[in-house]
Amino acid sequence: MRTLTSSLINRQDGLATSRQLTDLGWSRSTVAHRCGKGGPWQRVLPRVILLQTGAPSPRQRLRAALLYAGEGALLTGAAALTLYGVRGLGPPAKAPPVDVLVPAGRNPRSRAYVRIHRTRNEVRRLPVEGLPCAHLARAVIDAIPTLGDGRAVTALLAEVVQRGRCTLDDLTSTLKSVHRGSDPRITPTIEGLTAGIRSVAEADARRVLAAAAIAPPVWNHNLYLRDGTFLARPDAYWPAAGLVLEIDSREWHLSPDAWEHTMTRRNRMTQHGLTVLSVSPSQLRDNPDEIVAAIRGALGRGVCSAEVVARSVGTSWRVWGVALC
């Protein structure tokens, strides 16, 4: 019995259900005694027992939630996203709730720190760090109701798209399948991502430009020289004016190497005739009028350089040697 119990408990991170212990030969009275005051075991959720003293670890909390929810249960929302390595949720709470997805026919209820969500749709099951999780797009959509505001929604969706963790099609199709598209924070975020936005700062810039009625740029498109050499992928670009807007977040420029790379990239764009304006996220928030005035001025001057945009190719733009002075 000890060997069987040890094997099962190891696979389940030191946890078992009451039924599993009974099946392994432990009597109910023995289990109750061991879970009593001062005993070596503890009940962490109804019918779920941790076979040790002390507080459960974060991983044990997740495993306990799955055991409580029963067969077919999947981690979703912030719990799954943390396992996936998504950072856009911000720092986790000390003991955050755990969202668990179960088939519609199952009847566990939300209890303690476990929040139960039911679905009639078949959800792809993926093992992440050895724990069953909903696919990333579903976990993202299930996390949105727990986020505070539109900026938090943008940060999360922009991260998973920017890092190539899932596509916009994945997100929009999942939204439709769970009928969450009515959330007023989601539509502008999806529109921004479709336009090429890949960060909260870029979303802020897009709102500032729209409010000022400035012609929209293209966002995060590749620029190439005439010979096919890659030039850069600026945050925002106005092809007709050869104007680039770069939003320099301190997060990405703390190291000397990162700063030197940024300077080299910016100098190359200037060398090939592009006008480059640099702003910080805080300037966009605190002094948007100054940014708008600078952009209007640059757009009003037009292009006077040796190389300007001539045509688009797919989602990229090519820079050709044509003088407009």
Side-chain angles (χ1 to χ4, degrees):
M1 182 171 63
R2 289 182 180 180
T3 301
L4 290 172
T5 303
S6 176
S7 175
L8 175 69
I9 302 314
N10 286 339
R11 291 197 305 272
Q12 296 182 167
D13 302 303
L15 291 138
T17 64
S18 301
R19 176 65 179 272
Q20 287 173 334
L21 291 174
T22 300
D23 291 344
L24 289 169
W26 295 92
S27 68
R28 292 183 180 179
S29 60
T30 300
V31 171
H33 176 73
R34 284 178 163 263
C35 291
K37 186 176 180 180
W41 297 352
Q42 55 184 305
R43 296 184 190 275
V44 291
L45 286 167
R47 304 179 303 281
V48 180
I49 296 166
L50 177 62
L51 280 72
Q52 66 180 56
T53 58
S57 68
R59 181 182 177 86
Q60 287 173 326
R61 293 178 82 249
L62 298 181
R63 178 70 75 181
L66 289 166
L67 290 173
Y68 167 72
E71 185 178 357
L74 301 173
L75 295 174
T76 191
L81 294 178
T82 299
L83 293 175
Y84 277 113
V86 174
R87 299 172 297 178
L89 294 166
K94 185 175 181 180
V98 174
D99 294 295
V100 180
L101 199 62
V102 300
R106 301 294 317 288
N107 60 359
R109 297 181 179 180
S110 296
R111 193 74 174 265
Y113 64 87
V114 182
R115 292 190 297 214
I116 298 294
H117 306 268
R118 291 175 177 79
T119 179
R120 297 184 182 279
N121 302 320
E122 184 176 351
V123 179
R124 294 198 307 274
R125 177 188 182 96
L126 298 174
V128 185
E129 300 291 334
L131 295 169
C133 293
H135 61 90
L136 183 64
R138 177 61 195 255
V140 167
I141 299 308
D142 285 340
I144 287 175
T146 69
L147 301 178
D149 56 22
R151 289 174 61 82
V153 173
T154 298
L156 174 58
L157 270 61
E159 178 187 346
V160 296
V161 172
Q162 171 76 348
R163 294 173 64 189
R165 305 296 301 273
C166 65
T167 67
L168 272 175
D169 285 344
D170 292 334
L171 293 172
T172 53
S173 62
T174 303
L175 271 171
K176 291 177 182 177
S177 71
V178 298
H179 308 292
R180 297 266 177 83
S182 60
D183 188 321
R185 300 170 301 171
I186 294 177
T187 298
T189 298
I190 293 294
E191 289 175 350
L193 291 170
T194 302
I197 296 299
R198 293 297 181 265
S199 72
V200 171
E202 290 174 9
D204 289 342
R206 185 170 180 260
R207 284 192 291 270
V208 168
L209 296 175
I214 290 177
V218 292
W219 296 90
N220 293 293
H221 282 210
N222 293 337
L223 303 185
Y224 293 90
L225 301 179
R226 185 168 189 173
D227 62 3
T229 302
F230 174 75
L231 178 61
R233 179 185 287 179
D235 296 329
Y237 179 53
W238 285 266
L243 175 63
V244 164
L245 178 67
E246 291 280 76
I247 306 168
D248 294 333
S249 172
R250 182 176 298 178
E251 175 185 359
W252 301 107
H253 299 101
L254 288 177
S255 73
D257 287 346
W259 180 248
E260 288 182 7
H261 174 76
T262 297
M263 291 299 97
T264 299
R265 176 171 171 272
R266 190 165 298 154
N267 290 339
R268 288 189 69 232
M269 287 191 285
T270 303
Q271 176 188 345
H272 290 285
L274 300 178
T275 301
V276 180
L277 294 179
S278 297
V279 302
S280 69
S282 61
Q283 287 175 313
L284 279 169
R285 291 193 304 270
D286 302 335
N287 301 296
D289 292 344
E290 292 182 10
I291 307 303
V292 166
I295 293 172
R296 280 205 176 111
L299 291 174
R301 288 191 293 273
V303 178
C304 182
S305 66
E307 295 180 332
V308 297
V309 169
R311 65 187 179 91
S312 63
V313 181
T315 58
S316 303
W317 294 85
R318 293 191 181 275
V319 178
W320 298 87
V322 179
L324 296 179
C325 298

